[in-house]
């Protein structure tokens, strides 16, 4: 796939994750103890041989730029191609008040698309946790002679997924026959994951056509509006996949990480790359107790941790108890504190004796830098 340019859409805001995205994009939300959400999309592209990747941003992208750097960890610090951060075009986005539209975001980097020189463009959102071989997607796309191929997850029946997602109906040969956006009831069960393979020249034409007619919704105006006119195909993803688009799905994805089959599916091959941060090994105190948890390096564990994911450099003091929670980097959990069904962002301090208890269906989110 060396003749393919990857474009990661990191510009979209997510109201359902606003507690975690106040100072960062969804793409740079920490995940799994040491990663960011964008690491999965970016690593999948690199593993498929894509050597040119552009990351489209909108605002609050300092954290994302700090994480990606020059792209060295993904072997994208190249003289030709490599990793490019694409901030919003000032003139274009001032006129349109920094809209969240995919079409506007892509049109704002149209020069980059035109001059990348690749025949194909692989578009992807940055909030899908999975390992996928994009080379199989490319072979499917060429075999079907498709105008566009969209990646989807089969058999999604959770009602909370219906809103803010796009579902499709797929014929036996893989052709997309119907597209439902924000369905109120179960019309279709195959959910798009925001990953599309398309020829560059066709993408340029569609973007210019949509902007000229004030059509700004990618799913409605391109997918839904052109299903009957273009040969659009769906490619079902195999294996574990989680689209992280709300606090609830973020919490559930971390609970899934504690399952051996999910760990095997995501990390067994060692293909998910991230920014290197050297830390000392985690220290476990004499009276510490850890059960069914994932704990990163650099931590000091002197209390109890059960069914939780603990990021780097977290200190759990004596007598403290953490259950069914996600504790991000550089947090301090004081003596005899109790934390259950919580998501703690970075640099949070929970003082001695404090109790923070949420519910399995409604976890408490503690914003970055807060002291309780």
């Amino acid at each position: 796939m060396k003749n393919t340019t990857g474009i990661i859409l990191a510009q979209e805001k997510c109201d359902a994750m606003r507690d975690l995205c106040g100072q960062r994009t969804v793409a740079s939300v920490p995940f799994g103890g040491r990663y960011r959400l964008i690491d999965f999309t970016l690593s999948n592209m690199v593993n498929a041989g894509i050597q040119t990747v552009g990351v489209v941003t909108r605002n609050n992208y300092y954290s994302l730029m700090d994480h990606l750097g020059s792209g060295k960890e993904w072997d994208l610090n190249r003289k030709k191609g490599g990793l490019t951060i694409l901030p919003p075009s000032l003139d274009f986005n001032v006129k349109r008040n920094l809209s969240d539209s995919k079409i506007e975001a892509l049109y704002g980097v149209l020069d980059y698309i035109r001059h990348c020189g690749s025949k194909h463009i692989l578009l992807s959102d940055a909030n899908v946790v999975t390992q996928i071989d994009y080379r199989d997607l490319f072979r499917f796309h060429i075999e079907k002679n498709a105008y566009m191929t969209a990646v989807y997850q089969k058999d999604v029946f959770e009602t909370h997924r219906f809103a803010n997602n796009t579902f499709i109906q797929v014929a036996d040969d893989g052709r997309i026959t119907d597209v439902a956006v924000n369905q109120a009831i179960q019309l279709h069960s195959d959910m798009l994951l925001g990953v599309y393979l398309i020829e560059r020249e066709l993408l340029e034409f569609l973007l210019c056509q949509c902007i000229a007619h004030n059509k700004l919704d990618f799913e409605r105006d391109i997918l839904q509006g052109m299903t009957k006119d273009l040969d659009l195909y769906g490619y079902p993803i195999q294996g574990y996949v989680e689209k992280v688009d709300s606090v609830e799905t973020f919490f559930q994805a971390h609970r899934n990480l504690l399952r051996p089959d999910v760990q095997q599916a995501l990390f067994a091959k060692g293909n998910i790359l991230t920014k290197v941060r050297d830390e000392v090994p985690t220290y476990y105190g004499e009276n510490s107790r850890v059960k069914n948890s994932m704990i990163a390096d650099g931590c000091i564990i002197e209390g109890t941790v059960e069914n939780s994911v603990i990021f780097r450099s977290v200190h759990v003091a004596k007598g403290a108890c953490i259950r069914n929670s996600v504790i991000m980097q550089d947090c301090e959990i004081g003596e005899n504190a109790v934390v259950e069904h919580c998501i703690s962002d970075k640099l949070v301090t929970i003082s001695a004796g404090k109790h923070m208890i949420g519910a399995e269906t409604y976890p408490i989110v503690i914003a970055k830098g807060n002291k309780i």
Side-chain angles (χ1 to χ4, degrees):
M1 296 184 68
K2 292 184 178 180
N3 200 22
T4 301
T5 291
I7 294 184
I8 301 176
L9 295 159
Q11 96 292 349
E12 291 185 277
K13 62 181 180 181
C14 182
D15 292 337
M17 291 185 68
R18 60 187 179 276
D19 293 319
L20 296 173
C21 297
Q23 301 176 45
R24 60 168 75 95
T25 66
V26 175
S28 59
V29 169
F31 185 86
R34 59 182 301 169
Y35 302 94
R36 305 286 181 129
L37 285 177
I38 195 174
D39 289 339
F40 293 87
T41 299
L42 187 57
S43 297
N44 287 328
M45 288 183 175
V46 171
N47 293 335
I50 296 175
Q51 299 177 351
T52 303
V53 179
V55 180
V56 182
T57 61
R58 178 177 179 268
N59 54 22
N60 287 340
Y61 48 83
Y62 171 78
S63 175
L64 181 64
M65 293 178 65
D66 177 67
H67 177 69
L68 295 177
S70 65
K72 179 181 178 181
E73 280 78 6
W74 297 268
D75 192 28
L76 290 175
N77 53 335
R78 299 168 175 267
K79 292 183 178 180
K80 183 178 181 181
L83 180 70
T84 304
I85 306 294
L86 301 168
S89 171
L90 182 61
D91 293 339
F92 184 78
N93 285 284
V94 165
K95 294 176 183 177
R96 299 188 179 263
N97 195 28
L98 282 170
S99 172
D100 202 38
S101 160
K102 280 185 183 178
I103 290 178
E104 287 190 301
L106 290 169
Y107 189 79
V109 297
L110 189 58
D111 284 343
Y112 176 82
I113 295 173
R114 281 175 173 162
H115 294 105
C116 69
S118 298
K119 183 177 181 181
H120 294 91
I121 300 292
L122 179 61
L123 301 175
S124 181
D125 292 341
N127 62 342
V128 178
V129 176
T130 189
Q131 272 217 47
I132 178 174
D133 192 339
Y134 285 134
R135 291 169 294 190
D136 290 338
L137 168 65
F138 185 80
R139 285 189 286 267
F140 177 89
H141 180 81
I142 298 301
E143 177 187 326
K144 296 295 184 180
N145 195 27
Y147 284 100
M148 181 192 299
T149 301
V151 177
Y152 68 92
Q153 180 182 3
K154 299 181 66 174
D155 301 329
V156 178
F157 299 107
E158 296 90 347
T159 55
H160 69 270
R161 294 286 196 180
F162 294 172
N164 303 318
N165 278 299
T166 302
F167 286 74
I168 58 174
Q169 184 177 47
V170 183
D172 292 339
D173 64 349
R175 194 176 189 278
I176 297 174
T177 57
D178 190 40
V179 178
V181 181
N182 299 340
Q183 58 184 15
I185 59 174
Q186 185 77 59
L187 298 175
H188 308 308
S189 61
D190 296 335
M191 184 178 74
L192 292 183
L193 296 173
V195 181
Y196 309 99
L197 183 61
I198 184 173
E199 285 199 12
R200 176 180 55 82
E201 292 181 353
L202 176 59
L203 177 62
E204 292 177 26
F205 171 78
L206 293 175
L207 291 175
C208 292
Q209 185 184 57
C210 286
I211 290 294
H213 293 88
N214 198 34
K215 295 180 177 181
L216 305 178
D217 191 299
F218 190 91
E219 282 73 22
R220 289 186 186 278
D221 298 321
I222 291 183
L223 296 181
Q224 193 177 63
M226 300 182 181
T227 300
K228 293 182 173 62
D229 300 324
L230 300 177
D231 287 332
L232 308 182
Y233 281 82
Y235 178 82
I237 196 169
Q238 305 296 328
Y240 176 78
V241 57
E242 184 71 54
K243 184 176 182 181
V244 179
D245 54 6
S246 66
V247 168
E248 291 73 22
T249 55
F250 177 84
F251 189 62
Q252 184 59 46
H254 278 88
R255 298 191 65 180
N256 291 341
L257 282 181
L258 301 179
R259 291 165 34 194
D261 60 318
V262 174
Q263 295 175 16
Q264 181 77 13
L266 290 178
F267 306 119
K269 297 179 181 179
N271 289 337
I272 304 302
L273 308 171
T274 189
K275 180 181 178 180
V276 175
R277 175 177 169 177
D278 295 326
E279 293 282 358
V280 298
T282 289
Y283 168 79
Y284 295 91
E286 182 179 356
N287 297 316
S288 63
R289 181 174 177 270
V290 177
K291 178 181 178 182
N292 190 37
S293 296
M294 180 182 290
I295 299 179
D297 50 354
C299 297
I300 299 175
I301 309 297
E302 299 177 294
T304 299
V305 179
E306 296 181 358
N307 305 316
S308 299
V309 178
I310 310 297
F311 286 58
R312 293 163 167 160
S313 301
V314 171
H315 181 199
V316 181
K318 294 179 181 179
C321 183
I322 300 173
R323 295 190 182 96
N324 305 304
S325 297
V326 179
I327 309 298
M328 295 188 194
Q329 186 173 302
D330 297 315
C331 289
E332 292 277 345
I333 311 299
E335 291 187 6
N336 301 313
V338 177
V339 179
E340 293 187 19
H341 293 108
C342 290
I343 301 172
S344 171
D345 207 332
K346 297 168 62 175
L347 298 168
V348 165
T349 299
I350 298 178
S351 303
K354 294 294 188 293
H355 288 207
M356 300 294 295
I357 301 177
E360 182 176 346
T361 56
Y362 197 88
I364 293 175
V365 179
I366 307 172
K368 180 178 179 180
N370 279 356
K371 183 174 181 179
I372 309 298

